[in-house]
Amino acid sequence: MVRVEKPTLLRVLDCLGALATLLLPLFLVHWRGIAEGCLDGLAVGFLFRSALTRDWRWCRQGFVWPALVWWSWLVLCSLPRQAPVPAEATASLTQALLAIRFPVAAFALAFWTLQDPRTRTWCRRLVIACVLYLGAQMLLQAVTGHNLFGNPRFGDGTLTGPYDKPRVSAPFALLGLPAALFVGALLGQRATRSWQKTLLTGAVLLPVLGLLVLAGQRMSLATFLLGTAVCAVVLPTLRRPALVLLVACPALIGLLAFVSPEAFGHLVTKTHSQLAHFASSPYGQIYNRAIVMIEAHPVMGLGDDAFRHYCRSEVFLKPGPSHLRPDGGGVAVCVQHTHNHVLEAATNSGFPGAILFIAMIGSWWRVLGRTARRQVGLSAAEIAWRVGLFGAAVLHEWPLSSQSAFLNMPLGGIAFLLLGAGLAEAVRDLKADRPDVEETARGALTLSQRPRE
């Protein structure tokens, strides 16, 4: 078979795309502004490349078009509804128009940059390196009281890792699950007996769990256990290590009471208090306000980033379903987002927007789950990586949890990085199952050599 050289412009685009992909995990850990530039560059570069090659078949994939439909409805709901146009409406429409860049960046990883074996391998190595770095910073702070930059524990005793605020647990749990499963399977490839593989997998997962307990952040710990359970359902060899983690978790939490009483108070005592009086807790009041806003605008919502822009509006300062306070908690409830992705989608674009959002997430879960179950022709480490990416997707988008904003950096960037890595595996399977189909966005033919339609 004769290999046709790619045009210079496509080669340059491919190099820049690979560079942005490899820089992305590093700058998601620090300097998230540069990471957002990498995501934007991937999205724009992928669209430009698709236009050059006149190949838009990726839009027809079952995990792509639901995102385009969700985004279209969000933009429609964000159009100004009054004149003169207030500043909030302008900001909402601008944010809605730009919202698609995150999913398109994930599709760029899936169809473009991570189809290259070297880029895919190095990206996985960099993800593992980031997990080791975050874990080392957490361990250093737990032992010495300060991280590498001199920042102490947070005021409530929780760990901050390499940051000055306690925001390390969520990215550590999200990145740590696929990284730990991959490393555990890689180490277990040389083991000759099943109990040795189980021991090695548990030995890699246990430190991740231990650091999450030490960090004192309850939601990250709970969703990590959930993600591990999802992975164990898909991967039978993980069931014993998952059971060990489940048994070890209460013991580790009990030990935390002696090692770090402040973190134990945040993890256990505060959690119990908030769950017992959820309606009056900060989260309960935020959810109550979001429901009030949704009830007032159930069809089209209030536009992108609605909670930030309109939470303080006097019309929404009322009791709501909880009926605790006449003003529903007043303006003190108004934080940057609803802390739940489904509620965020509903406040932004009404019940139809929430349904479209759930359908989009469901399409991603479906394809990642199908990819995770595939084992033919794959090594144990590759299977574990795929299963871990599926577990991370469920971990991040589990609806019954407190979450950062859907497109918030850096956590949203990490989620879309891992989503792109998982979808890249699905695209590889598609190509393996249909070798007669020309590879999407590989640029094997020059523009002049492509057949005329």
Side-chain angles (χ1 to χ4, degrees):
M1 180 177 179
V2 179
R3 182 178 182 274
V4 181
E5 190 69 21
K6 287 189 292 186
T8 302
L9 182 56
L10 291 182
R11 291 201 303 271
V12 171
L13 274 176
D14 289 348
C15 290
L16 291 176
L19 178 62
T21 300
L22 298 181
L23 290 178
L24 185 57
L26 301 178
F27 287 118
L28 282 169
V29 172
H30 287 295
W31 300 293
R32 57 186 177 181
I34 300 177
E36 189 163 0
C38 291
L39 281 169
D40 294 346
L42 282 168
V44 173
F46 182 51
L47 294 177
F48 182 49
R49 199 181 195 287
S50 298
L52 283 177
T53 58
R54 299 197 297 274
D55 193 343
W56 298 92
R57 284 173 295 175
W58 57 272
C59 295
R60 299 197 296 267
Q61 293 298 322
F63 56 85
V64 173
W65 63 260
L68 302 179
V69 175
W70 162 78
W71 172 68
S72 300
W73 178 254
L74 178 63
V75 171
L76 179 63
C77 294
S78 302
L79 293 173
R81 307 175 193 180
Q82 65 185 75
V85 179
E88 293 85 357
T90 302
S92 178
L93 178 59
T94 302
Q95 290 169 312
L97 290 171
L98 295 175
I100 194 60
R101 71 193 194 278
F102 277 73
V104 172
F107 302 148
L109 294 169
F111 289 99
W112 179 25
T113 61
L114 291 183
Q115 289 305 306
D116 176 67
R118 290 180 299 176
T119 305
R120 187 167 60 247
T121 298
W122 275 104
C123 183
R124 186 163 50 211
R125 290 172 179 172
L126 290 172
V127 167
I128 295 170
C130 289
V131 172
L132 292 174
Y133 169 75
L134 293 174
Q137 285 271 37
M138 294 167 70
L139 183 60
L140 178 66
Q141 193 176 54
V143 173
T144 67
H146 295 80
N147 64 16
L148 193 61
F149 307 117
N151 296 316
R153 287 175 175 264
F154 202 62
D156 57 6
T158 55
L159 298 180
T160 68
Y163 311 114
D164 58 355
K165 295 179 181 179
R167 58 182 182 88
V168 68
S169 295
F172 183 70
L174 192 57
L175 292 168
L177 182 57
L181 291 183
F182 178 78
V183 172
L186 202 62
L187 294 175
Q189 284 182 346
R190 297 185 178 181
T192 57
R193 299 184 179 180
S194 60
W195 67 266
Q196 293 174 329
K197 296 181 180 180
T198 300
L199 183 63
L200 288 170
T201 303
V204 176
L205 283 170
L206 191 60
V208 179
L209 176 67
L211 287 171
L212 287 172
V213 170
L214 272 176
Q217 293 293 322
R218 51 195 179 273
M219 192 53 64
S220 300
L221 175 61
T223 52
F224 177 79
L225 291 172
L226 169 69
T228 305
V230 169
C231 293
V233 171
V234 178
L235 192 62
T237 57
L238 184 60
R239 290 171 188 171
R240 289 182 181 177
L243 184 61
V244 171
L245 290 187
L246 186 63
V247 173
C249 189
L252 292 173
I253 293 175
L255 185 62
L256 184 66
F258 301 96
V259 175
S260 179
E262 297 88 355
F264 178 84
H266 188 275
L267 183 64
V268 178
T269 308
K270 187 175 181 180
T271 300
H272 178 268
S273 175
Q274 288 188 341
L275 290 177
H277 307 90
F278 182 76
S280 60
S281 71
Y283 295 107
Q285 293 183 57
I286 291 170
Y287 296 163
N288 178 75
R289 179 63 53 80
I291 293 172
V292 169
M293 296 171 68
I294 295 166
E295 287 178 341
H297 298 271
V299 179
M300 297 189 71
L302 290 158
D304 197 23
D305 212 9
F307 199 82
R308 182 199 301 264
H309 293 316
Y310 303 110
C311 175
R312 291 175 172 81
S313 298
E314 188 174 351
V315 68
F316 300 131
L317 302 182
K318 56 184 181 180
S322 63
H323 301 289
L324 289 178
R325 295 175 59 178
D327 62 353
V331 297
V333 174
C334 298
V335 291
Q336 294 181 344
H337 52 83
T338 64
H339 288 74
N340 182 275
H341 291 171
V342 177
L343 284 179
E344 180 184 349
T347 55
N348 292 348
S349 50
F351 286 113
I355 293 171
L356 291 174
F357 178 82
I358 293 171
M360 175 181 68
I361 299 301
S363 70
W364 294 343
W365 283 9
R366 180 174 177 272
V367 70
L368 292 178
R370 184 173 64 241
T371 304
R373 291 192 298 270
R374 182 173 180 131
Q375 298 186 7
V376 178
L378 299 173
S379 67
E382 289 178 313
I383 295 171
W385 175 250
R386 291 177 170 212
V387 172
L389 292 173
F390 173 52
V394 175
L395 178 162
H396 182 66
E397 291 298 342
W398 188 249
L400 301 179
S401 64
S402 173
Q403 300 155 314
S404 180
F406 181 55
L407 301 180
N408 186 47
M409 291 290 286
L411 192 60
I414 293 173
F416 279 101
L417 167 64
L418 297 180
L419 173 65
L423 295 178
E425 299 296 326
V427 174
R428 289 178 63 202
D429 289 348
L430 179 64
K431 293 177 180 179
D433 294 337
R434 300 181 62 187
D436 57 309
V437 177
E438 178 188 356
E439 294 184 358
T440 301
R442 287 294 298 271
L445 300 180
T446 64
L447 298 185
S448 61
Q449 290 170 318
R450 292 182 62 84
R452 295 182 182 273
E453 297 183 359

